[in-house]
Amino acid sequence: MVEYAAKKALQMFVTVLGVVTLVFFTLRLIPGDAASAMAGDTLSGEALERLRAQLGLDEPLPLQYLGYLQSLALGDLGETITTRIPIADLLFRALPITLSIALATIVVAVLLSIPLGTLAAFMVHKGRRWLDNALTGAAMLIDLMPPFWTALVLLLIFSLGLGWFPASGQLNWNDPGSVALRLALPVIVLSLSQVATLARITRTAVLDVLNEDYVRTARSLGWSELRVLFRHALKNAALPIATVVGLSFGNLLGGTVIVEFIFTIPGVGNLLITGINSRDYQLVQTLIVVYALIFVLINFSTDLIYRALDPRVKF
Amino acid sequence: MTGKFHKLLGMGMTALVALSMSTAIAPSAMAQEKTLTIRFYDDPAGFDPANIFRIENENIAFNIFSGLTTYDGETGEIVPDLATSWETTDNKTWTFKLREGVQFQKGYGEMTAADVIYSFNRIKDPQTASPYAAELEGIVSMEAPDPYTLIIELDAPNGNFLHTVANYHQGQIVSQKAIEEAADQVRWQPVGTGPYYLDSIDVSSRIVLKRHEDYYKGPAPIETLVFNIIKDEATATIALRNGEVDLMMRANQEENLATLEAAGFTMNSVMDYAVALMVLNTEFEPFADPRVRQAVAHAVDFEAISQAIAPSLQQAYHSMLMPWMAVYTDDIPKYTYDPERAQALLEEAGYPDGFTFKNLSTSAQGVTEVQQFQIDYLSQVGINMEMELVDTPTFNQRRNAGEFDTATRLLPAVNPDMILFSFLHPDNLVPNGLNGARYDNPEVTSLLEAARAEPDADTALDLYTQVQQIVAGDLPYIPMYANNVYWPGKPEVTGVHINYLAQVDFWSVDITE
C-alpha cells in the first residue's frame, strides 16, 4: 500500500508538472496579452509598451517559466498580473465556494440517482419498463439543454416568478441559511445533468448484476427482493458507479465555471473567466494547476475507494 | 414521537417570532441609513488614477476623486471642480484658483496646490509607469505662489487643457501622504476629495463606498453605495426586477430595455455618448481611393439598420464628433443611402466589379446583426465583406498594430481635440497611436496644429470646422452610429445623471420614499 501510494504520488507530480508546463506555454501562444487586454480602446504605441514592461511581460519566456516553477516549488502562488492581489488570498475565498457547490451537487445527485437507477433496473428486470422509459426520456431531454439555458430558465421561474431564491447578492458565511438559498439554484442546475448520467449508469450496472448467477442463487434461497437488491446487486454494481461518481466530480469543476458566471457566485470558475478575459497568465495558470491537482487527487481517492469496494483489485 | 415533534414545532415558532421581531425593529433603524445597491458588471482592477483602465473602475474612481474641472452631467460642458476659476491669455500659461477648505477623505487633511503639483508630477514620473503620462507631457513647469493658486506653463499652446485637468485619469488629484502610506497598495487604498470613499472590496462579489462627510459640497444624501458584481445581463435584469439591486449600471440589450421600461423602471440614459466608427485602412489598396471609401458609406443604410436592430441603443450618425462638443459642426458632407451613387463611385475609382475585404472583429460578440446587414448591403454593390473573428485581446493587439482591412472603434467621448489629433494626425499612425486608417493629409495636419495653438475661440472653431469638413470628404473613418447608455433603476432612485463619459456623480443621487 505504501509503495502504491508513493508510485501514485510520483505519477501525480509528473502529471501536474506536465500541466504546469503545457498551460504556461499555450497561454502565451494565444495572441494578445494582459497589456493589450487592459489597454482596450485607449492605449497604443509607447504607452502600451510602458505598460507591458510594468507588468513584467517583456522578460524572456524561459526566465518567466523558471521563475514560475521556482515560486511554485516554494509554495508561492504569486500575484495576479492586473490587480496585484496575492492569488492565494483569492483562492482562499473562492475555493471553498466552488467545492461546496461541487460537493453538494454530488451528494444530491448520488442520493437521487442511485435509488432511481436501481428501481428502474429492478422494474425492467420484472418486465415493467415505464420508469425506465421515463428516465431515459428525461435524461435525454436534460442532456439536450445547455446548463446556461437551464440556469436562466430556473432563474426566471424560481427567482423572478416565485421569489424563492435570490439571483444575486453576497455570500455571507455567518448566515448559512442565506448561503444555502444562494447556492441552491446552481446546485440544482448542475445536479440535473449529473442525476441523468448517474441514474442511467446505475440502471445498467444493476441490471447486469441482476442477471448474474449468484443473484439467482440468492433468490432461490428465498431471500426477499429488497435484500437481494441491496445486499447483492447494488453492492456489486457499486464499482462502476463509484468510478463514474469520481469522474463526474472532475467534470463538475468545469460545470461550475458556467453556473458561477450566470449566478454571479465568486468561486474559482468566476476567477478563471476573469483571468482568461484579462489574459492574466499568472492567475489562469495557477487556477488550472489547482484544477489539475483536484482532479488528480480525486482520481487517487477513487482508486482507493475502488480497492475498498473490491479487495480483488490489484494495484 | 409526538413529543419530539411538538418540541421542534415550538422551537420553530420561537425562531419565527424572533425573526419577525427583528424585522419589525429593522425599518426604524434603516430610515436614517440610506443604502443604494448598484449592479456593477466587471471585476474591480484597482482605483489608482495613474493606472486605471476599464471604464467600470473609472466609474468608481470618478466618485472617489476630483479634478480641477469636471464634466456637467447633463450638458457635457466643463465646469469648475477643485478649481473655482482659471485664466489664460495664450493657452500656454494657465492660472488656476483653487477652492479653499477642500478635505481629503479619511482625515488626510486639506487639499492645496502642492497636492495638485504632486499628483501631476506623479503621473509624469516614469517610475509610476502611468499610461496617461503622455497627456501631461506638455507641462514644462508648475508653481504654487500660495496654497490656493496654481500656475501651469505648457511647452506649446493647448486650447483644450481644461479637459486634461478634468476629473478623469491623469486629472484626478491624490494626497501625497496617502499615496506614500499605501505604497504598492495604492490601487486598493485610494484617497481623494470626492463625495465617496472606498470602504471595502470583496473580489468577484462587491465593492462598498461610504459617504465622505467632509465633501466640499456637503455630504451626499446616501450613506452607502454597494456595487454588486453581476456580469450576466439577464441575471442582472432579474436582480433588478426582484429588488435585489436598485440601479443597474449599463443595460446593453434592446429587449431588456423594453421589458424594464414596461415594468415601470426609470430609464436613466445619456444619448449620443460616443460614436462607433468603421476604420478603413487606407494602405489596403481599394481604400486608398477616397471615392471607394465614399462608396462604402453610400452603400450601407445605417439608418435602417439601427432602426431595425436597436432603436433605443443607437442611431445612425455622420460625424466623428458629438453634437454636445464645443467645436462640433453640422456643416459637413453627409452620406445618405444611395446604392447607385455608390456603384458610380466604384466605377470611377476603377472597381466596377467591386472587391473583397476582411473586417476584423471580436469573437466575443460573434457576427453582429449590424455586420450581417452590412455584408448584405455591400454585396448589392459588388463589395464582398468577409468577417475575421478573433478574441478580444487578439483583436485589440491587431487593431493597435494596424493589421486589418477594416475594424471598428468606439470613439472615447471626451476631448474633441484629442479625438481629432489621435485619429487624424500622422504622428499617431498605428502602432504609435490610434490613427488606424493611416490617414495623413498635410492640410489637415497643419489645420489641427493651428487649431490647438489658437487662443481666439472663434478662430479655433473655424479651424476645427475646416478639419471636420475635409475629413468628412476624405472619409478615412465612416461614422456608423452613435451609442446611448442606459442605467435602468427603481423609480424612487432620483438624480441619476449619466455624463458623456458614461459616469454618474453619486453626490446628486438620492432615494425618495
Side-chain angles (χ1 to χ4, degrees):
Chain A
M1 191 68 187
V2 175
E3 194 190 332
Y4 168 74
K7 205 171 119 193
K8 271 281 164 191
L10 186 69
Q11 267 179 13
M12 274 160 62
F13 174 76
V14 173
T15 311
V16 172
L17 185 71
V19 169
V20 169
T21 310
L22 202 69
V23 168
F24 183 92
F25 289 102
T26 38
L27 263 181
R28 283 158 180 83
L29 280 179
I30 310 171
D33 58 15
S36 56
M38 282 165 90
D41 267 5
T42 47
L43 291 189
S44 59
E46 249 177 65
L48 193 60
E49 284 313 313
R50 219 177 2 237
L51 176 64
R52 194 160 277 140
Q54 190 202 9
L55 298 177
L57 297 171
D58 56 345
E59 282 176 32
L61 216 50
L63 269 187
Q64 288 187 39
Y65 176 65
L66 288 177
Y68 178 54
L69 280 190
Q70 192 186 7
S71 55
L72 269 189
L74 295 171
D76 172 14
L77 299 182
E79 293 176 336
T80 75
I81 297 178
T82 43
T83 64
R84 295 279 158 221
I85 298 176
I87 293 173
D89 288 3
L90 294 176
L91 266 179
F92 181 72
R93 285 163 178 273
L95 204 55
I97 299 174
T98 302
L99 290 181
S100 308
I101 296 176
L103 272 174
T105 303
I106 282 294
V107 170
V108 170
V110 167
L111 287 181
L112 286 177
S113 61
I114 293 185
L116 261 179
T118 312
L119 193 62
F122 180 68
M123 289 178 70
V124 169
H125 190 69
K126 291 281 171 208
R128 279 172 288 167
R129 302 197 70 97
W130 69 265
L131 180 66
D132 188 44
N133 290 341
L135 210 61
T136 313
M140 267 174 64
L141 200 69
I142 288 166
D143 275 350
L144 285 175
M145 300 190 298
F148 69 88
W149 185 81
T150 321
L152 280 179
V153 171
L154 292 185
L155 264 180
L156 278 174
I157 298 172
F158 294 106
S159 186
L160 187 60
L162 299 169
W164 292 357
F165 305 109
S168 69
Q170 224 197 358
L171 283 166
N172 180 4
W173 292 98
N174 295 325
D175 181 2
S178 75
V179 174
L181 280 179
R182 192 74 174 79
L183 298 185
L185 280 182
V187 168
I188 294 174
V189 171
L190 290 176
S191 310
L192 276 177
S193 60
Q194 298 294 328
V195 170
T197 317
L198 281 178
R200 270 182 301 171
I201 300 280
T202 310
R203 172 227 177 245
T204 314
V206 173
L207 202 54
D208 281 350
V209 176
L210 283 177
N211 293 322
E212 294 281 346
D213 289 343
Y214 57 84
V215 171
R216 220 169 298 141
T217 313
R219 234 185 234 124
S220 65
L221 288 174
W223 289 16
S224 75
E225 284 294 345
L226 271 182
R227 194 167 168 201
V228 170
L229 202 59
F230 285 98
R231 278 293 296 271
H232 294 276
L234 194 57
K235 195 175 165 192
N236 286 294
L239 221 51
I241 298 173
T243 316
V244 174
V245 171
L247 281 176
S248 296
F249 193 82
N251 291 337
L252 257 184
L253 292 176
T256 55
V257 176
I258 297 163
V259 297
E260 283 178 14
F261 180 80
I262 294 195
F263 293 102
T264 62
I265 289 163
V268 184
N270 229 328
L271 277 183
L272 188 66
I273 293 185
T274 308
I276 291 172
N277 283 339
S278 56
R279 287 287 190 277
D280 200 315
Y281 299 142
Q282 190 71 27
L283 181 60
V284 175
Q285 66 204 17
T286 307
L287 292 182
I288 293 185
V289 169
V290 170
Y291 274 104
L293 266 177
I294 295 176
F295 208 89
V296 166
L297 282 173
I298 289 169
N299 275 344
F300 181 55
S301 23
T302 312
D303 285 349
L304 292 183
I305 293 170
Y306 219 89
R307 177 161 172 158
L309 286 174
D310 186 351
R312 287 172 306 175
V313 173
K314 288 273 185 294
F315 297 119
Chain B
M1 183 73 186
T2 16
K4 246 186 191 170
F5 178 72
H6 277 142
K7 205 172 162 188
L8 268 176
L9 195 69
M11 279 163 67
M13 290 300 283
T14 318
L16 266 179
V17 170
L19 197 72
S20 57
M21 276 173 70
S22 66
T23 46
I25 297 164
S28 57
M30 293 290 283
Q32 285 117 21
E33 275 280 316
K34 280 187 184 173
T35 297
L36 184 75
T37 309
I38 305 127
R39 176 262 179 142
F40 194 69
Y41 63 95
D42 205 351
D43 286 306
F47 309 107
D48 176 358
N51 284 300
I52 280 182
F53 292 94
R54 302 180 185 157
I55 186 168
E56 310 79 59
N57 291 288
E58 183 52 46
N59 263 303
I60 304 265
F62 185 73
N63 284 279
I64 295 177
F65 297 99
S66 322
L68 294 182
T69 61
T70 190
Y71 294 95
D72 183 277
E74 290 184 60
T75 62
E77 269 176 52
I78 286 196
V79 290
D81 195 0
L82 294 177
T84 51
S85 63
W86 46 82
E87 275 170 27
T88 180
T89 47
D90 54 1
N91 285 351
K92 241 180 119 172
T93 307
W94 291 78
T95 306
F96 293 91
K97 275 282 163 208
L98 303 190
R99 197 176 297 278
E100 296 186 21
V102 173
Q103 293 296 319
F104 277 111
Q105 297 148 0
K106 301 180 181 174
Y108 278 92
E110 191 184 0
M111 190 272 325
T112 64
D115 294 299
V116 182
I117 295 176
Y118 172 77
S119 301
F120 291 171
N121 276 334
R122 178 170 176 264
I123 301 269
K124 289 179 68 173
D125 184 357
Q127 285 286 312
T128 314
S130 171
Y132 309 111
E135 308 266 335
L136 299 177
E137 250 167 28
I139 296 179
V140 186
S141 73
M142 289 184 275
E143 274 174 59
D146 66 74
Y148 307 109
T149 307
L150 177 69
I151 304 169
I152 298 179
E153 190 85 38
L154 304 180
D155 60 355
N158 181 355
N160 292 277
F161 190 62
L162 292 178
H163 284 285
T164 309
V165 297
N167 181 11
Y168 193 58
H169 296 317
Q170 73 284 341
Q172 293 174 331
I173 305 307
V174 296
S175 146
Q176 178 167 6
K177 199 174 153 212
I179 295 280
E180 283 167 359
E181 281 181 16
D184 63 344
Q185 289 298 308
V186 173
R187 69 181 74 209
W188 302 119
Q189 292 168 25
V191 172
T193 54
Y196 285 91
Y197 68 90
L198 181 69
D199 183 60
S200 66
I201 292 182
D202 191 348
V203 180
S204 309
S205 178
R206 66 176 194 170
I207 304 159
V208 179
L209 301 189
K210 289 273 186 191
R211 177 167 81 180
H212 175 203
E213 299 295 338
D214 297 322
Y215 183 51
Y216 77 79
K217 289 190 205 169
I222 297 173
E223 277 87 353
T224 309
L225 303 177
V226 177
F227 291 86
N228 263 358
I229 299 169
I230 309 177
K231 292 178 190 168
D232 183 62
E233 183 162 336
T235 311
T237 308
I238 290 172
L240 178 65
R241 295 180 65 187
N242 263 353
E244 293 164 29
V245 298
D246 305 309
L247 186 64
M248 180 174 163
M249 185 188 280
R250 289 252 184 167
N252 285 326
Q253 290 171 359
E254 187 76 30
E255 62 277 15
N256 275 348
L257 293 176
T259 315
L260 290 173
E261 192 163 16
F265 289 96
T266 310
M267 305 305 284
N268 307 294
S269 62
V270 62
M271 299 291 127
D272 297 330
Y273 134 81
V275 56
L277 293 182
M278 183 174 174
V279 182
L280 307 175
N281 184 350
T282 54
E283 276 189 2
F284 173 71
E285 206 199 305
F287 293 142
D289 191 323
R291 289 171 297 191
V292 174
R293 308 196 290 259
Q294 292 165 356
V296 172
H298 274 305
V300 184
D301 190 349
F302 284 109
E303 185 81 52
I305 297 177
S306 294
Q307 274 305 311
I309 295 172
S312 313
L313 285 164
Q314 57 184 220
Q315 54 274 337
Y317 200 64
H318 59 271
S319 171
M320 288 178 74
L321 299 185
M322 311 308 298
W324 46 269
M325 289 177 175
V327 302
Y328 168 85
T329 176
D330 195 36
D331 182 22
I332 56 170
K334 298 183 182 85
Y335 301 85
T336 47
Y337 176 56
D338 188 347
E340 284 87 30
R341 178 90 191 103
Q343 195 76 59
L345 282 164
L346 283 176
E347 272 167 37
E348 270 177 49
Y351 296 94
D353 302 323
F355 58 92
T356 297
F357 71 91
K358 281 188 179 156
N359 181 71
L360 183 68
S361 188
T362 65
S363 51
Q365 296 172 310
V367 179
T368 63
E369 286 172 301
V370 173
Q371 288 163 341
Q372 292 171 32
F373 275 110
Q374 243 177 307
I375 292 170
D376 187 51
Y377 275 115
L378 287 170
S379 72
Q380 289 171 27
V381 297
I383 301 175
N384 180 21
M385 170 166 147
E386 288 178 356
M387 295 297 298
E388 201 176 352
L389 295 179
V390 291
D391 71 333
T392 309
T394 311
F395 172 75
N396 286 337
Q397 191 171 55
R398 284 191 47 191
R399 190 178 57 175
N400 289 336
E403 291 163 7
F404 58 83
D405 298 344
T406 64
T408 329
R409 205 178 254 285
L410 190 69
L411 276 190
V414 201
N415 172 353
D417 175 73
M418 193 275 277
I419 291 175
L420 296 174
F421 244 82
S422 322
F423 283 78
L424 304 169
H425 198 281
D427 281 356
N428 294 320
L429 290 182
V430 284
N432 288 326
L434 302 175
N435 187 346
R438 298 180 192 269
Y439 180 68
D440 182 1
N441 180 339
E443 194 189 354
V444 169
T445 308
S446 57
L447 281 169
L448 276 174
E449 285 165 2
R452 179 172 274 189
E454 179 56 54
D456 179 64
D458 290 337
T459 317
L461 179 62
D462 180 51
L463 295 167
Y464 282 118
T465 302
Q466 289 181 53
V467 169
Q468 291 170 71
Q469 285 167 338
I470 298 171
V471 171
D474 276 356
L475 215 62
Y477 304 92
I478 299 177
M480 299 191 290
Y481 41 85
N483 285 347
N484 308 326
V485 172
Y486 289 85
W487 286 36
K490 289 181 183 167
E492 50 270 34
V493 179
T494 57
V496 180
H497 302 295
I498 310 168
N499 75 11
Y500 287 104
L501 293 166
Q503 291 164 349
V504 169
D505 179 355
F506 280 96
W507 183 75
S508 63
V509 177
D510 197 0
I511 308 170
T512 54
E513 292 306 319

